[in-house]
Amino acid sequence: MFAERTRHLNGSDIRAILKMTEQPGMISFAGGMPAPELFPIEEIQEVSQHVLKHHGKQALQYTITEGFLPLREQIAQRMQVKFDKACSPQQILITSGSQQGIELSGKLFLDEGDVVLCESPSFLGAFQAFRLYNPRFIEVPTDDQGMVMEELTRILETTDRVKLLYVIPDFQNPTGRSWSLARRKELMEIVSHYEIVVVEDNPYGELIYEGDSLPSLASLDQKDQVVFLGSFSKILCPGFRVGWVCASPQWLEKYVMAKQAADTHTSTFCQQVIHSYLERYDLEQNVSKIKDVYRKRRNIMLDVMDREFPETALFSKPGGGLFIWVELPAFVNTREVLAKSLEKGIAFVPGGSFYPNGGHEHAMRLNFSNMSEDKIIEGIPRLAAVIRTFI
Amino acid sequence: MFAERTRHLNGSDIRAILKMTEQPGMISFAGGMPAPELFPIEEIQEVSQHVLKHHGKQALQYTITEGFLPLREQIAQRMQVKFDKACSPQQILITSGSQQGIELSGKLFLDEGDVVLCESPSFLGAFQAFRLYNPRFIEVPTDDQGMVMEELTRILETTDRVKLLYVIPDFQNPTGRSWSLARRKELMEIVSHYEIVVVEDNPYGELIYEGDSLPSLASLDQKDQVVFLGSFSKILCPGFRVGWVCASPQWLEKYVMAKQAADTHTSTFCQQVIHSYLERYDLEQNVSKIKDVYRKRRNIMLDVMDREFPETALFSKPGGGLFIWVELPAFVNTREVLAKSLEKGIAFVPGGSFYPNGGHEHAMRLNFSNMSEDKIIEGIPRLAAVIRTFI
């Protein structure tokens, strides 16, 4: 009965693990969830009241597919300030989370057999969304500076039908690494010679724990090739499911039509609440509070890992974002490690999930944003003990 | 650059017209919008506070793709009471409006060239969503009792690759008509001999102005062929974008995976607010208030139409829902009528939009839920005057 494309339909490993982590007492380094104790609940209470009291009829009614204009204006401004990208509100489409931006990109650009290039490893939610459009994934090797440009060039020169490049240049999921400025510039120079869409997924760019922010690919884009995906999930909260697409007006028009067919528009109420929050409170202050807490959690996790993990475990020291990436010796299978560590009450995501073409079963992704310092101090040594039994 | 499927990408005529109706003073019978003055704003204020005060951390966090379990339990119960359908919460997936249920159905079931059967005319949002999966639409003739079963049988017997039947048996969009019980039973008997998915879209079923409700197709389904799509947009408010899919557990699992790839999950906050509203307030009373107002508006619109419309204009007298369907003499083109009537400050949707294969340019859809009695009394004669100039 089902369409051919559904043979690529898989639930996310992460979400399956998350279900297991609902057991009480579980220490989970698995999800990419923000710390709920940092949600500005009282402020959101206040703005929800404000919106309903003063704009209730509009906030609970249908709105245009593009999204609530005053929020799009705020986002356009934010694109300039935070991502160096000059754009108009007419280049912003509000989406139901940035996941929807990925899905719409697949729908708009991918014919069966088209090639999607991505960092190796990369975000598995993107694979899930793109896979339904039957592309071929080619993973481009990465190092500490980002995608390896020689490899990218070689692939582009020798591969037909490369349609889309999906990248997370800031504090990547799953590795936590950021691209250097040189790589960003090189990338945009190289792709400018090809008819390729660059999907720049940027949910973590504002969560910087050391160093300066670097210009987004969108800001270096001379040929309107970049589709930038943003989100309020990590800088405010994920429960509203509000993200955005920023693209050229010509491309945005197509995104709007595809969005209309997909779900008409994103919740008016959630859009207005966020708009009102941005107007009445200081999101910078909120982000700054989040950064202070996550920085500490990262530091503690790295410290304990330094002390407790076997020397053969190599791990990233991310300057921002939510994740630490661990590579164990090649003979260790982290799916087996996970089975054991769940028995000890510890969850993480095995690294193999982040490679669209499989393999690489010796890595793991650890999240440091969602667990308290105490849980990190308690959980990491327990995980280390499990790992040691495999080495 | 764009994928082949985007050649079918069109903005909705309705939403283009809705943009024009934003001019002040416009009397719009175009949209399918509920009356915002009936939204229970104070109650929603109260429950929003309650949710944020007592469950803020969960309400603003990620949740599982299936949706908030207590809300799914309430919906499963509602499916029994309102639509005679016995089902468990495990058969309910929360979607971002019922439009997303349509889109996911297309994604899960339609290969290029598969045939979609629909009522002639039918809801254009469904065409928009399905079209991206390149099906062939066959329109099945309808009469006052619903789809004509002889025609359906003939098509099924003579057509290969019929995959999906899309129907709105209760107060259909655009005609306002409901299927008789006999037709419902006949349909389910006929399709039980074929491998066909029946997508039953039911946003208006509770808005009954006279007579009794009839069993849903889902309730008559012996072979788990029916996917039922429900929505809070018309019985509570559309601004939350919360609808649901009810299907067999086997099928629902696929919907959940496709939903996960599409947008992770629907707004946790909106789901919890609706859950809390259902727990703390009486939705029946709200629906009953809506019905009283819409019934009056329908009556007034029909009265004025009886008096003012030319005799050659035939129109439906719907027992529920939001719409009246008008057929003018075949030589009249209602897109031309619309151009003139917009000049006179009146909007409606030309009937041609509701036929996936085009034609039928002499009909129009009028909405009676969104305009006050005064506006109806003022607007319908003005529209009638424009129509007369074409006859």
Side-chain angles (χ1 to χ4, degrees), chain B residues 208-272:
Chain B
I208 309 179
Y209 313 135
E210 57 205 27
D212 294 325
S213 75
L214 290 171
S216 63
L217 300 180
S219 73
L220 303 169
D221 179 20
Q222 301 291 319
K223 289 183 65 188
D224 283 347
Q225 286 183 280
V226 174
V227 174
F228 180 101
L229 308 180
S231 174
F232 286 104
S233 292
K234 307 303 191 290
I235 54 177
L236 185 58
C237 63
F240 293 129
R241 309 304 303 126
V242 173
W244 66 90
V245 171
C246 174
S248 71
Q250 293 71 27
W251 283 8
L252 200 84
E253 199 191 335
K254 299 275 190 187
Y255 275 87
V256 171
M257 286 190 272
K259 161 87 179 162
Q260 192 173 97
D263 63 3
T264 320
H265 64 76
T266 293
S267 165
T268 328
F269 183 52
C270 292
Q271 292 187 59
Q272 291 217 11

Side-chain angles (χ1 to χ4, degrees), chain A residues 1-6 9-12 15 19 22 32-37 39 41 44-46 48-49 52-53 56-57 59-66 96 99-100 103 106-112 125 128-129 132-133 163 195-197 233-234 237-241 250-251 254 257-258 260-270 273 370, chain B residues 1-6 9-12 15 19 22 32-37 39 41 44-46 48-49 52-53 56-57 59-66 96 99-100 103 106-112 125 128-129 132-133 163 195-197 233-234 237-241 250-251 254 257-258 260-270 273 370:
Chain A
M1 286 290 276
F2 290 100
E4 172 62 12
R5 74 180 67 80
T6 63
L9 200 60
N10 289 302
S12 152
R15 297 190 73 87
K19 278 200 177 174
E22 280 167 12
M33 289 198 282
E37 64 273 25
F39 296 157
I41 296 180
I44 290 172
Q45 266 184 278
E46 198 273 331
S48 298
Q49 287 313 290
L52 287 167
K53 193 168 170 201
K57 288 182 191 174
L60 300 177
Q61 184 61 287
Y62 288 110
T63 186
I64 56 170
T65 301
E66 289 84 345
S96 302
Q99 180 71 25
Q100 188 176 47
E103 141 71 14
K107 189 179 267 168
L108 286 174
F109 290 105
L110 297 180
D111 284 312
E112 180 159 2
Q128 280 186 292
L132 284 160
Y133 301 103
K163 177 66 79 67
E195 292 262 290
I196 297 178
V197 187
S233 293
K234 308 304 191 291
C237 64
F240 294 128
R241 309 304 303 128
Q250 294 72 28
W251 283 9
K254 300 275 189 185
M257 288 191 271
Q260 191 174 97
D263 64 4
T264 319
H265 63 77
T266 293
S267 166
T268 328
F269 183 52
C270 292
V273 168
N370 189 241
Chain B
M1 285 292 277
F2 290 100
E4 172 63 14
R5 75 181 64 82
T6 62
L9 199 60
N10 288 304
S12 152
R15 297 189 73 87
K19 278 199 176 175
E22 280 167 13
M33 288 198 282
E37 63 272 26
F39 296 155
I41 296 179
I44 290 171
Q45 267 185 277
E46 198 274 331
S48 298
Q49 287 313 290
L52 287 168
K53 193 167 168 202
K57 288 182 191 174
L60 300 177
Q61 185 59 287
Y62 287 110
T63 186
I64 55 171
T65 302
E66 290 83 345
S96 302
Q99 179 71 25
Q100 188 177 45
E103 140 71 14
K107 190 178 265 170
L108 286 174
F109 289 107
L110 297 181
D111 283 311
E112 179 160 2
Q128 280 186 292
L132 284 161
Y133 301 104
K163 178 63 79 69
E195 292 262 291
I196 296 179
V197 188
S233 292
K234 307 303 191 290
C237 63
F240 293 129
R241 309 304 303 126
Q250 293 71 27
W251 283 8
K254 299 275 190 187
M257 286 190 272
Q260 192 173 97
D263 63 3
T264 320
H265 64 76
T266 293
S267 165
T268 328
F269 183 52
C270 292
V273 167
N370 189 242

Side-chain angles (χ1 to χ4, degrees), chain B residues 20 23 33 41 57 84 94 120 127 135 155 170 185 233 292 307 331 355 371 373 375 381:
Chain B
M20 288 188 277
Q23 299 165 43
M33 288 198 282
I41 296 179
K57 288 182 191 174
D84 293 330
I94 305 293
S120 180
F127 314 149
I155 292 168
D170 289 358
K185 287 182 173 167
S233 292
D292 288 346
R307 216 163 47 229
F331 59 84
Y355 295 88
M371 287 287 124
E373 298 179 17
K375 295 279 184 192

Side-chain angles (χ1 to χ4, degrees), chain A residues 128-140:
Chain A
Q128 280 186 292
F130 290 146
R131 240 179 219 137
L132 284 160
Y133 301 103
N134 292 323
R136 188 158 68 92
F137 288 98
I138 298 183
E139 303 171 30
V140 186

Side-chain angles (χ1 to χ4, degrees), chain B residues 57 127 136 182 188 210 291 309 336:
Chain B
K57 288 182 191 174
F127 314 149
R136 186 158 69 92
M188 293 315 298
E210 57 205 27
K291 282 160 58 172
F309 269 37
E336 293 168 16

Side-chain angles (χ1 to χ4, degrees), chain B residues 168-173 176-178 204-205 207-209 318-321 323:
Chain B
I168 310 165
D170 289 358
F171 314 119
Q172 202 236 14
N173 183 355
R177 290 182 193 132
S178 275
Y204 318 112
L207 300 183
I208 309 179
Y209 313 135
F323 303 111

